[in-house]
Amino acid sequence: MRPDPGLRVRGEGRFADGRARRGDHHESGAALLSAMARWTTPTGSFAAHFDPHSIRNSDGSSAARRVSAEFRRAGMDYDRRRHRVSARGRRTLSFPAVYPGADDTAGPGYTGQPAVASYYDWRPSE
C-alpha cells in the first residue's frame, strides 16, 4: 500500500485508506543510521542490523538497490546474509529522499517478525 503523498512526515498520520501510520520511529531509523555513521570516531567501527528491502520507492517497488548504492557511496559494507551494515571510521551517509510515510501492515520481515515498509520519494542524484 502506497502512503498518501499528503502525509505529514512527523507525528501520527493516516494512509489514504484510513489506517494509522506510526512514522516517527521509521524516519528516525534512517536518520539514526546516518547519525551513527557520523558519530563513529575515526578509529572506531559501526555495525547495525538493517533490511534494505523494507525501504520502498513511492510507487511501492523495492529501493534496496538504491539504498545499497548509498551505503557503498559512503564507504560502508552491507552483508546480505547477515543483514548487517558496517563501517570502520566516521562515514557520511545520506539518503537523498523525502519520507512521505510507512506501511505498518507490510507483513513479516527477514526475521519473521512484523515489519514496516518505509516509503521514500528519491531526489535526483547530485
Side-chain angles (χ1 to χ4, degrees):
M1 157 71 42
R2 183 183 154 155
D4 177 355
L7 289 176
R8 293 173 297 140
V9 173
R10 297 229 176 246
E12 296 294 317
R14 298 219 170 258
F15 288 102
D17 67 1
R19 285 180 295 117
R21 75 147 174 105
R22 298 181 248 347
D24 283 343
H25 67 286
H26 286 280
E27 181 190 23
S28 297
L32 185 58
L33 277 177
S34 297
M36 288 169 49
R38 284 190 317 271
W39 294 338
T40 305
T41 65
T43 59
S45 60
F46 156 79
H49 285 275
F50 181 74
D51 183 7
H53 293 286
S54 67
I55 307 298
R56 315 297 288 174
N57 295 308
S58 60
D59 67 2
S61 62
S62 175
R65 288 184 184 194
R66 185 152 198 168
V67 170
S68 296
E70 294 300 329
F71 287 150
R72 285 190 301 277
R73 186 172 296 132
M76 301 174 84
D77 295 314
Y78 181 70
D79 182 335
R80 293 171 61 185
R81 189 170 60 88
R82 291 189 174 102
H83 297 273
R84 185 174 32 204
V85 61
S86 62
R88 296 200 49 82
R90 183 172 293 136
R91 297 284 183 251
T92 301
L93 175 65
S94 71
F95 292 101
V98 175
Y99 174 76
D103 179 3
D104 63 358
T105 64
Y110 74 92
T111 64
Q113 298 295 313
V116 174
S118 297
Y119 290 83
Y120 289 86
D121 288 320
W122 296 90
R123 297 187 299 250
S125 295
E126 300 176 72

